[in-house]
């Protein structure tokens, strides 16, 4: 069976921390594909200062060019409102019935998952691969183990913990650094720096 993981995020902008963890998941778990899934534009009312979805999508597309097992999907950016993870997973499960779907995400999501829409159904549609986030001191190994077990028992699933080294980089820090006129090009895939410069993003 083909094994594909959806890796969702705002990716505003995508950085080498994202690429690195995606590659670790691909390599260590012998996946066939990682599907990067940039979120759509938030509805008007919620509109925070997020870069337009098409630009974020194009940055991801350029960033993953050199790895043939990385792809990007425009599914969520083409929907009028923010998508629920459940809907995205349902769509891809129906589209590719013989693919084993995974959902790659930081531990922060797993801690919060009971509040998600249709959480029980989510675990019927995919298996979670979670990794720790640097700079989240609340997530001790003990709290991660507890939450993992709780989710596994409650939803009859197996959560895969990806014990990979992490790069302490966030899109927020990158945006702030650009605003302050600092260099960030070495934290970004090469093509992404060019797009940021061309469109004058995050100034
Ligand atoms: P922001 O700072 O804008 O909140 P972010 O850097 O956390 O952004 P997102 O686009 O929100 O990035 O994250 C997409 C996914 O990538 C999430 O699952 C998040 O946990 C993960 N992620 C973010 N930064 C890293 C990193 N340095 N290493 C590994 N995974 C990361």
């Amino acid at each position: 069976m083909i094994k594909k993981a959806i890796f969702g995020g705002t990716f505003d902008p995508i950085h080498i921390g994202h690429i690195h963890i995606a590659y670790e998941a691909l390599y260590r778990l012998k996946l066939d594909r990682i599907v990067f899934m940039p979120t759509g534009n938030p509805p008007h009312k919620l509109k925070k200062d997020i870069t337009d979805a098409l630009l974020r999508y194009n940055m991801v597309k350029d960033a993953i060019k050199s790895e043939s097992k990385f792809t990007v999907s425009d599914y969520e950016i083409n929907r009028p409102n923010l998508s629920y993870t459940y809907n995205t997973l349902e769509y891809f499960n129906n589209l590719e019935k013989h693919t084993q779907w995974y959902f790659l995400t930081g531990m922060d999501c797993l801690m919060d998952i009971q509040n998600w829409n249709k959480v029980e159904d989510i675990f019927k549609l995919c298996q979670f691969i979670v990794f720790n986030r640097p700079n989240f001191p609340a997530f001790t190994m003990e709290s991660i183990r507890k939450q993992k077990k709780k989710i596994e028992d409650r939803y009859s699933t197996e959560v895969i913990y990806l014990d990979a080294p992490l790069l302490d980089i966030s899109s927020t820090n990158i945006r702030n650094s650009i605003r302050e006129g600092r260099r960030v090009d070495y934290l970004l895939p090469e093509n992404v720096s060019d797009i940021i410069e061309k469109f004058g993003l995050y100034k």
Side-chain angles (χ1 to χ4, degrees), residues 4-12 14 18-19 22 33-41 53-54 56-61 64 70-79 81-93 95-96 101-105:
K4 295 189 182 183
I6 292 178
F7 186 27
T10 318
F11 300 122
D12 191 17
I14 188 167
H18 297 130
I19 302 282
R33 284 272 182 292
I34 303 278
V35 182
F36 288 75
M37 184 72 61
T39 55
N41 283 325
L54 188 60
R56 289 185 284 109
Y57 169 88
N58 282 333
M59 287 194 273
V60 174
K61 194 170 160 203
I64 61 172
F70 286 170
T71 56
V72 58
S73 167
D74 60 3
Y75 173 76
E76 290 195 2
I77 70 161
N78 285 333
R79 290 173 58 102
N81 288 318
L82 282 183
S83 310
Y84 285 117
T85 299
Y86 168 77
N87 296 109
T88 303
L89 284 166
E90 187 188 38
Y91 174 82
F92 281 93
N93 269 266
L95 193 69
E96 293 179 35
W101 287 99
Y102 296 83
F103 189 75
L104 176 64
T105 185

Side-chain angles (χ1 to χ4, degrees), residues 4-139:
K4 295 189 182 183
I6 292 178
F7 186 27
T10 318
F11 300 122
D12 191 17
I14 188 167
H15 52 68
I16 57 170
H18 297 130
I19 302 282
H20 167 70
I21 200 72
Y23 185 74
E24 288 294 310
L26 183 80
Y27 182 79
R28 290 178 187 228
L29 303 171
K30 301 193 173 30
L31 304 177
D32 295 289
R33 284 272 182 292
I34 303 278
V35 182
F36 288 75
M37 184 72 61
T39 55
N41 283 325
H44 242 36
K45 277 181 289 175
L46 290 177
K47 187 120 189 145
K48 292 194 218 132
D49 210 6
I50 294 178
T51 306
D52 183 68
L54 188 60
L55 258 178
R56 289 185 284 109
Y57 169 88
N58 282 333
M59 287 194 273
V60 174
K61 194 170 160 203
D62 268 11
I64 61 172
K65 261 200 307 229
S66 66
E67 173 50 66
S68 62
K69 292 185 173 174
F70 286 170
T71 56
V72 58
S73 167
D74 60 3
Y75 173 76
E76 290 195 2
I77 70 161
N78 285 333
R79 290 173 58 102
N81 288 318
L82 282 183
S83 310
Y84 285 117
T85 299
Y86 168 77
N87 296 109
T88 303
L89 284 166
E90 187 188 38
Y91 174 82
F92 281 93
N93 269 266
N94 286 333
L95 193 69
E96 293 179 35
K97 291 200 162 53
H98 300 293
T99 295
Q100 164 69 49
W101 287 99
Y102 296 83
F103 189 75
L104 176 64
T105 185
M107 197 57 210
D108 40 326
C109 286
L110 197 73
M111 290 295 183
D112 179 51
I113 189 113
Q114 274 109 316
N115 301 321
W116 287 22
N117 189 36
K118 297 201 177 193
V119 55
E120 272 152 50
D121 298 319
I122 286 179
F123 286 110
K124 291 185 191 132
L125 295 173
C126 73
Q127 207 179 338
F128 268 53
I129 304 169
V130 299
F131 50 85
N132 207 350
R133 292 283 313 263
N135 256 335
F136 278 79
F139 302 158

Side-chain angles (χ1 to χ4, degrees), residues 5 13 40 53 59 76 90 93 140 152 182 184 186 198 201:
M59 287 194 273
E76 290 195 2
E90 187 188 38
N93 269 266
T140 58
E152 290 179 331
R182 282 158 48 191
V184 289
Y186 47 84
K198 183 169 164 205
L201 301 180

